[in-house]
Amino acid sequence: MAESTTPESIGKIEPLIPAHSPPVEHDLNATPAIPFGPDVSADVSQAHPLKNADFRFLWIGSTISAFCDQFYFVGLSWLVLLFNGSGATLGTVLMLEAVPRAAFMLVGGAVTDRISPKLILVATAAGRMFLVAATAALIYLHRLQLWHLYGLALAFGTADAFGMPAGRVLLPALLSGEQLPAGNALLNSAAQTSAIAGPAPAGLILKKWSAASVFVVDAVGFLFAALALWRMRNVPSAPENNSSDGIWKVILEGWRYVMKDPPMRSLMFLIVVLNLCVGGPFTVGLAVISKQRYGSAAAFGTLLSSLAGGSLLGSLLPALIKYRCRRGVLLLSFSTVIGIGMIAMALLHGFIPMIVLLAILGLGSGLTAVYFQSWLQARIDRNFLGRVMSIFMFATFGLLPISYAVAGFLAQTKLSLMFVGSGAFVLAATVVAVLNKQIRAID
């Protein structure tokens, strides 16, 4: 259920929940109250999220799960390489994990609108626990084969497709609208912290003991994650739904919901452009820059750390500082900065300026993601929340393979052209968005 911080995260603005009536044209820029959220007094609604016991269990469970995901990734990658040492095989395994995540994301959102998100989160955590425990047993018994790892990757990707929308749906059911930015900040920063701090202890356990030990620790972690999520008590049940419509018709209703809401529709357009023009160029481009300009793998690691550190700080700020901003202006400002930043990456050759630039871009990415997750959580009708959240997640993750392929071709042809072209497209999309008063008016 957790999302790791990777270079493509710089282009990711994940959305999220809302009023019981569908959006209407004359009031689309208003942020409605969350009718299905906790019924609390004004003082309680402005309290820090960690004072809410149910949110604490969600935060603890999500944090443990995020670290477990890192242990799983390290263990899986090492095992694949132990079989034949092939990077191509590892790439195939990781692709098998990404495919069901993208393919079933919309289905996961539709199911979340019909089933308690708490049960989905507990079920996916428990399922992962059994999977990694079974993997550890196969290793100890010397029965593990490569096809087992293919199956493990497929199962984890499928779990992500259901767990990620469920996590986004559950948060607004626990917190008031005023608490959402701080709540999202804590959850996002936990995922980013795990991506930074999780792989090292997993590697140490792998070196000192064995791959089986990594999966044993992972199984114990997922057990505690499931128990923490189960401890949530005051979680609203899924909205009543007597519809017998098929799953694809239910998903289509979510798409129609987004298309009928001008601000969300415009936001979707900008997210698609950002992911196509930023995700691939950053993932591919940073590695090529490190090799061509700085000739060092250590430089690559430092650049990634700068990007991740900035993103972590940006995600934490809303939890540390209560500041109300015009989110439409924030988004347009960040989009402008990233367009200029992409072009600057084609021109900058100094290592320190590159580090500073990536930290700024990471900061803007983390901050923007938190505020827009909170805006969506406070806007979408509860009956459509899972579907709409999965649609925005699909826009975030589903187009990345295309971005990777195009970026790989352009980076091989002309690296500077890739960055300049990507930045120019982002700036052009930003100009289009600026002309749209629906985005400018997002509060």
Side-chain angles (χ1 to χ4, degrees), residues 75 78-79 82 136 139-140 202-217:
W78 187 256
L79 283 175
L82 281 180
I139 297 172
Y140 276 123
L204 290 175
I205 293 174
L206 190 62
K207 180 180 180 180
K208 187 173 180 61
W209 289 295
S210 65
S213 300
V214 172
F215 284 99
V216 168
V217 173

Side-chain angles (χ1 to χ4, degrees), residues 110-411:
V111 171
T112 301
D113 282 338
R114 295 188 169 191
I115 300 177
S116 167
K118 170 187 170 180
L119 293 180
I120 293 176
L121 289 177
V122 173
T124 53
R128 291 177 181 181
M129 177 193 71
F130 286 117
L131 286 168
V132 295
T135 303
L138 289 170
I139 297 172
Y140 276 123
L141 296 173
H142 303 288
R143 297 290 183 87
L144 186 71
Q145 298 181 35
L146 187 59
W147 70 266
H148 291 130
L149 301 181
Y150 285 127
L152 180 65
L154 280 168
F156 261 69
T158 303
D160 281 344
F162 289 85
M164 290 168 66
R168 295 296 183 265
V169 168
L170 186 56
L171 182 63
L174 303 179
L175 302 179
S176 68
E178 292 83 356
Q179 295 172 309
L180 286 176
N184 279 308
L186 289 168
L187 292 178
N188 286 10
S189 60
Q192 291 160 350
T193 300
S194 71
I196 297 172
L204 290 175
I205 293 174
L206 190 62
K207 180 180 180 180
K208 187 173 180 61
W209 289 295
S210 65
S213 300
V214 172
F215 284 99
V216 168
V217 173
D218 208 22
V220 173
F222 277 123
L223 172 62
F224 280 107
L227 291 175
L229 294 167
W230 183 257
R231 287 291 304 277
M232 292 184 290
R233 294 286 180 250
N234 301 314
V235 179
S237 59
E240 293 186 10
N241 193 325
N242 299 319
S243 172
S244 59
D245 292 338
I247 193 70
W248 296 113
K249 186 173 181 180
V250 173
I251 292 172
L252 184 59
E253 289 174 352
W255 280 99
R256 288 171 178 164
Y257 184 94
V258 173
M259 292 300 105
K260 289 180 180 179
D261 187 316
M264 280 199 287
R265 189 172 64 229
S266 301
L267 181 61
M268 175 76 73
F269 163 75
L270 196 53
I271 288 174
V272 167
V273 172
L274 285 173
N275 279 283
L276 281 173
C277 297
V278 178
F282 263 94
T283 304
V284 175
L286 284 181
V288 176
I289 282 177
S290 300
K291 185 175 185 299
Q292 291 184 357
R293 295 183 185 174
Y294 311 118
S296 168
F300 182 44
T302 303
L303 293 178
L304 290 179
S305 296
S306 178
L307 183 68
S311 183
L312 175 60
L313 178 59
S315 296
L316 278 173
L317 283 179
L320 302 175
I321 303 173
K322 288 187 177 182
Y323 176 73
R324 183 173 179 82
C325 64
R326 292 293 298 271
R327 281 172 278 202
V329 174
L330 175 65
L331 172 62
L332 294 172
S333 299
F334 169 64
S335 184
T336 302
V337 169
I338 196 171
I340 295 173
M342 295 288 287
I343 296 173
M345 291 183 68
L347 306 174
L348 285 177
H349 288 270
F351 188 59
I352 299 301
M354 186 68 73
I355 289 176
V356 173
L357 175 61
L358 291 174
I360 293 172
L361 294 177
L363 177 71
S365 174
L367 188 66
T368 306
V370 167
Y371 278 118
F372 272 90
Q373 284 172 0
S374 304
W375 176 75
L376 284 165
Q377 286 170 328
R379 182 180 187 84
I380 308 167
D381 187 307
R382 173 64 180 94
N383 295 305
F384 289 85
L385 178 59
R387 281 167 283 179
V388 174
M389 286 308 309
S390 67
I391 288 170
F392 275 91
M393 289 183 190
F394 182 79
T396 299
F397 295 106
L399 297 174
L400 285 176
I402 299 174
S403 182
Y404 293 154
V406 174
F409 172 76
L410 291 176

Side-chain angles (χ1 to χ4, degrees), residues 16-177:
L16 304 178
I17 247 195
H20 280 299
S21 57
V24 291
E25 294 297 327
H26 67 275
D27 192 32
L28 284 172
N29 292 312
T31 300
I34 305 174
F36 59 91
D39 184 12
V40 293
S41 65
D43 290 341
V44 175
S45 69
Q46 297 182 19
H48 195 279
L50 288 177
K51 293 184 178 180
N52 181 316
D54 288 321
F55 174 79
R56 285 201 303 273
F57 285 123
L58 174 62
W59 179 64
I60 292 170
S62 299
T63 302
I64 295 173
S65 182
F67 272 91
C68 288
D69 283 343
Q70 297 301 319
F71 272 59
Y72 151 79
F73 176 75
V74 170
L76 176 70
S77 302
W78 187 256
L79 283 175
V80 171
L81 294 176
L82 281 180
F83 270 99
N84 58 12
S86 170
T89 303
L90 177 59
T92 302
V93 171
L94 297 180
M95 181 191 70
L96 283 177
E97 182 176 344
V99 167
R101 182 189 296 128
F104 296 124
M105 183 72 72
L106 298 180
V107 176
V111 171
T112 301
D113 282 338
R114 295 188 169 191
I115 300 177
S116 167
K118 170 187 170 180
L119 293 180
I120 293 176
L121 289 177
V122 173
T124 53
R128 291 177 181 181
M129 177 193 71
F130 286 117
L131 286 168
V132 295
T135 303
L138 289 170
I139 297 172
Y140 276 123
L141 296 173
H142 303 288
R143 297 290 183 87
L144 186 71
Q145 298 181 35
L146 187 59
W147 70 266
H148 291 130
L149 301 181
Y150 285 127
L152 180 65
L154 280 168
F156 261 69
T158 303
D160 281 344
F162 289 85
M164 290 168 66
R168 295 296 183 265
V169 168
L170 186 56
L171 182 63
L174 303 179
L175 302 179
S176 68

